[in-house]
Each structure stands twice: as structure tokens, then as C-alpha cells.
Amino acid sequence: MAAVEIRPGIHWIGVNDRTTDLFEGLWPVSHEGVSYNAYLINDEKKVIIDLAKAFKTDEFFSQIAEIVELSQIDAVVVNHVEPDHTGVLRTLKKIAPDMSILATPKAKAMLDNFYEIGENVREVQDGETLDTGSHTLTFVHTPFVHWPETMMTYETTQRILFSCDGFGGYGALRGAIFDDQCTDHDFYQREALRYFVNIVAKFSTAVLKAMGKLSDVPVDIVAPSHGLVWRRNPSRILELYKKWSELASGPGSRAVTLVYGTMYGNTEVAMNAVAQGISAEGIEVDMFDAARTHVSYILPSLWEKGGVMIGAPTYEGALFPPVRQVIEMAAQKSIRHKKAAMFGSFGWSGGAYKSFERLVEPLKWELVDSFVFPGGPTKADLRKAEEFGAAFARRITSQD
Ligand code: FEO
């Protein structure tokens, strides 16, 4: 995509990535893609805010060269050292060896660790400003949104917040970079939530702290380093991030995430009966086969919904591994404050429920019920499974 001038002298110079299969080597983006947004202040001083992943070097440099010679770059603002935003730095430094690199004190040390770059790195303090001629940049330290060295950069004349990972989302840009040009808001909102839960949610407290710090700052444009640039309705993405971050310590919505696994279909048959019971109570239920769905797509539902229904057989005396792996990732992401129940076939020996109890103990999920049966479910078991689902749905509705 060609560079886009978002305000006089301020350009989006990002690149799309539609070939990386796993973001952070972990989270699938093959179908959705991701953008590495960066920005150029073309003023008396030529300043770039954030960069791109190393394999995008040629394309990224072409974006910049549309506007200024690379050798004329005076400074690069490194809001965040993670290599999706700094991968091109070594090469850029060879082309513009005298440019300054502006970063937080923690980022300075990390630039040395990641790239052995120390020369011309200037620490910027919280609240420090840089005058580029007709623009002023203010650096706002926002530790742990996403790493400890992270900061955001605020352009005061046009009131643009360059927020890096904060307020970002998966989803390569489909020609339109702005929210008001976007014709598929559902896609970008869904992918912003998946990105938030995969990448940022662990640091929800830090996100809320950063938002509190910025609460008196007028923002006309939110310009993150991934996903849409929010110019018509910047408060939309800010409100979503606030709501999602608050779920870290809240009960979630009155709805259920049903995560199941099945070896020969017995737990699946019971799962359908459980789901009928939940639905009969008018409660929304998201359903995921843990063995066939990457956890990246399950986590957003677990994050948002107050109820978790687990369906899993016993496997070698313990919880069926694909389901266990989902719960372990939920623990990694500190997904707490859920009401949960479990059902499944225990084959001949059992053990899944005990291993489930042990897994969720540190998560402090409230285990409200369980229903297990040997081998395949009988007609009586299926009636019980339906009532079990309905009873769980009523608990979710009552939130007591
Ligand atoms: Fe987009 Fe934490 O890097």
C-alpha cells in the first residue's frame, strides 16, 4: 500500500503482512493478516515513529522513500522494542548512521540486548517533548502495554496518539487505513479483541493505568501500530479496550463458553444435550472443539463470558489433553472469575474431573457442578445432561 497522509506533514507508512502464519510464533494470522503501522513526521526534522518487522525491510523503506530520502531521517521513536516494530532498525541505522533513536531508559538497554545498538540512542523521560519544527511530540511512558519498556507518543498540534500495541488489532488493512473508510467493522473489532486477549490482556492493569494517565489528553486520532487508524470515532477503540481490560477483574457476561473434546463421540453426544439445556434457558453459548480450534480463537470467548462449560473425556486417568491445553493457556492469560462446570465420559476409570479441579484451582474458577458417565451416554444420561446444562445456565443468569 502507498503511504497515506493522515494530517499535513504526518504520514502512515505501514506495511501489511499476509505471509506470517503465526504472530509471535504462536498466534494464527494466516487468514487475517496483520499490519505493522509506522508513521513519518515530515517536518524540519524528519522523524519516524515505530518501524516494521525485518522481512518487510524493502517494502517499508520504499514507503518512506516516497516521501523522504532514508538518509535524511533525523530520528526514530522506538515506542516498543518487540521486533515486529524494530526489525528494520539495524539496516536503517546503516543507511542513516547519524539519526537519533529515542526510547525509554528500559528500551535503551533492550535495544542493546536485541540488536547491539547503543550509539545515538537517547533516553526520553516521561512527559519529555521533541519539537520537530511545526509539530511537537510528547513521550508518555506506558510500561507493560505490552512490554516493560513501552511508551506512547502524542502529537500535540493534531492531537494524534501513536499508541503502538495499545488499541491495536490483528487484520491486515484492506486498502482502507481509517475507521471511517472501513467497510467491515465486525472483522476488525473481532480481530482487535482476539489480539487484545492473545497479546495484551495479561497486562490489563497496565492498560487501565495508561488510559487513566491519558484521560485528560484530547485525542482526535488513535494511531496504533497494528490495525485500523481511528479518526472518525477514536473513542470507540478506547472504550472497547477499557471494557476488555476491566474484564480481567470482573465476572464476564451472562453467557457460556463451551469447550469440549471427544475421542469417539460419546462426550460429543452429551455435549449436544448440555448445549440444548443451556440454550433452552435463553443463554448464548459459544462452542469450540478444543482439538480442532486453535486456542487463539477460544480465548476471546473465555475472556468475555462469565460461564465456562468444559466437556472432556478421561484420557490416561486425566483430562483429555486438547482441553487441558486450553485451560493451561487460560491460566497463562490470567482468565479468572468464572463460574465453571464439567461433564464427560470417564471410559472405565475416571480421573478427568480431578485433574480439571487441580488445573482451575489457581484460576479461582467457581466449580458449580459436574456430570460424568461411563462409556457412552444412555438415554437417561442425556436427559440428565440436558438438565445439567439448563441448571448451569440458570446459575449464570442469576450470577449468585
Ligand atoms: Fe506489536 Fe508487542 O509488539
Side-chain angles (χ1 to χ4, degrees):
M1 282 173 64
V4 177
E5 188 166 41
I6 59 177
R7 284 284 193 266
I10 302 175
H11 304 259
W12 174 89
I13 51 165
V15 290
N16 278 317
D17 179 358
R18 292 191 171 87
T19 51
T20 293
D21 289 325
L22 298 173
F23 187 76
E24 289 191 336
L26 181 58
W27 310 107
V29 289
S30 306
H31 300 297
E32 302 84 1
V34 64
S35 69
Y36 311 117
N37 299 337
Y39 303 91
L40 171 66
I41 312 291
N42 184 20
D43 205 350
E44 287 168 31
K45 287 196 176 86
K46 319 288 184 199
V47 179
I48 298 175
I49 300 171
D50 293 322
L51 301 167
K53 205 171 169 182
F55 89 106
K56 285 287 177 181
T57 300
D58 282 356
E59 187 181 340
F60 185 68
F61 286 179
S62 297
Q63 294 279 62
I64 300 167
E66 284 180 31
I67 303 157
V68 296
E69 290 289 325
L70 287 165
S71 57
Q72 293 178 351
I73 300 299
D74 294 292
V76 168
V77 174
V78 173
N79 278 325
H80 178 26
V81 176
E82 193 163 7
D84 53 331
H85 308 294
T86 54
V88 308
L89 184 59
R90 260 203 200 115
T91 310
L92 181 60
K93 192 163 166 47
K94 283 183 183 146
I95 298 168
D98 296 329
M99 72 180 185
S100 302
I101 299 169
L102 309 180
T104 63
K106 275 200 172 72
K108 185 176 194 299
M110 291 169 83
L111 285 168
D112 191 24
N113 293 336
F114 275 79
Y115 299 108
E116 297 182 75
I117 289 176
E119 196 183 359
N120 294 338
V121 178
R122 184 159 78 73
E123 293 180 5
V124 293
Q125 302 305 315
D126 191 22
E128 189 174 329
T129 59
L130 174 73
D131 185 352
T132 65
S134 54
H135 299 282
T136 304
L137 301 178
T138 302
F139 305 110
V140 183
H141 290 196
T142 54
F144 287 103
V145 186
H146 153 220
W147 283 4
E149 87 298 3
T150 310
M151 68 175 182
M152 297 184 187
T153 298
Y154 177 68
E155 197 284 326
T156 53
T157 59
Q158 299 294 322
R159 313 208 294 196
I160 303 173
L161 181 65
F162 300 101
S163 55
C164 201
D165 279 357
F167 318 122
Y170 297 137
L173 299 166
R174 301 167 174 182
I177 72 161
F178 297 111
D179 60 333
D180 50 282
Q181 297 171 332
C182 169
T183 55
D184 193 354
H185 275 268
D186 288 349
F187 168 78
Y188 286 103
Q189 182 168 322
R190 185 170 66 246
E191 289 305 313
L193 172 61
R194 188 166 70 94
Y195 169 87
F196 170 82
V197 181
N198 291 181
I199 309 296
V200 185
K202 180 87 175 175
F203 311 104
S204 290
T205 305
V207 172
L208 291 171
K209 196 169 175 188
M211 292 186 77
K213 192 169 177 179
L214 291 160
S215 60
D216 292 333
V217 176
V219 174
D220 288 348
I221 297 178
V222 175
S225 290
H226 303 291
L228 290 176
V229 175
W230 300 79
R231 125 182 120 172
R232 176 184 290 166
N233 193 2
S235 59
R236 174 73 183 146
I237 193 67
L238 299 175
E239 285 162 8
L240 285 171
Y241 258 68
K242 183 168 185 289
K243 181 179 90 172
W244 296 335
S245 298
E246 285 172 346
L247 284 171
S249 55
S253 64
R254 294 181 183 196
V256 173
T257 306
L258 196 165
V259 180
Y260 76 98
T262 191
M263 294 169 69
Y264 292 102
N266 291 315
T267 297
E268 184 183 10
V269 170
M271 180 275 289
N272 283 316
V274 170
Q276 280 182 302
I278 297 170
S279 298
E281 295 294 323
I283 292 289
E284 179 193 345
V285 54
D286 282 351
M287 194 180 288
F288 301 97
D289 179 341
R292 293 178 176 80
T293 312
H294 195 287
V295 68
S296 169
Y297 297 93
I298 304 174
L299 291 173
S301 181
L302 288 172
W303 188 264
E304 284 200 305
K305 294 182 174 30
V308 182
M309 176 63 79
I310 296 292
T314 293
Y315 183 88
E316 297 180 347
L319 196 67
F320 189 51
V323 175
R324 186 190 74 222
Q325 286 155 10
V326 170
I327 297 170
E328 285 172 346
M329 187 54 89
Q332 170 85 32
K333 296 296 174 188
S334 301
I335 297 180
R336 294 165 192 252
H337 311 292
K338 305 296 175 189
K339 285 187 168 62
M342 192 204 135
F343 67 93
S345 167
F346 64 81
W348 69 94
S349 70
Y353 186 70
K354 279 214 170 314
S355 88
F356 175 62
E357 279 184 311
R358 279 196 298 274
L359 276 171
V360 301
E361 199 276 329
L363 286 172
K364 307 206 182 310
W365 288 4
E366 181 189 347
L367 299 185
V368 299
D369 207 355
S370 67
F371 170 61
V372 294
F373 52 89
T378 62
K379 281 188 180 167
D381 286 334
L382 292 177
R383 280 195 295 276
K384 279 188 210 164
E386 191 170 341
E387 178 44 39
F388 167 76
F392 183 67
R394 289 193 291 273
R395 281 296 297 270
I396 297 301
T397 309
S398 66
Q399 290 280 8
D400 59 10

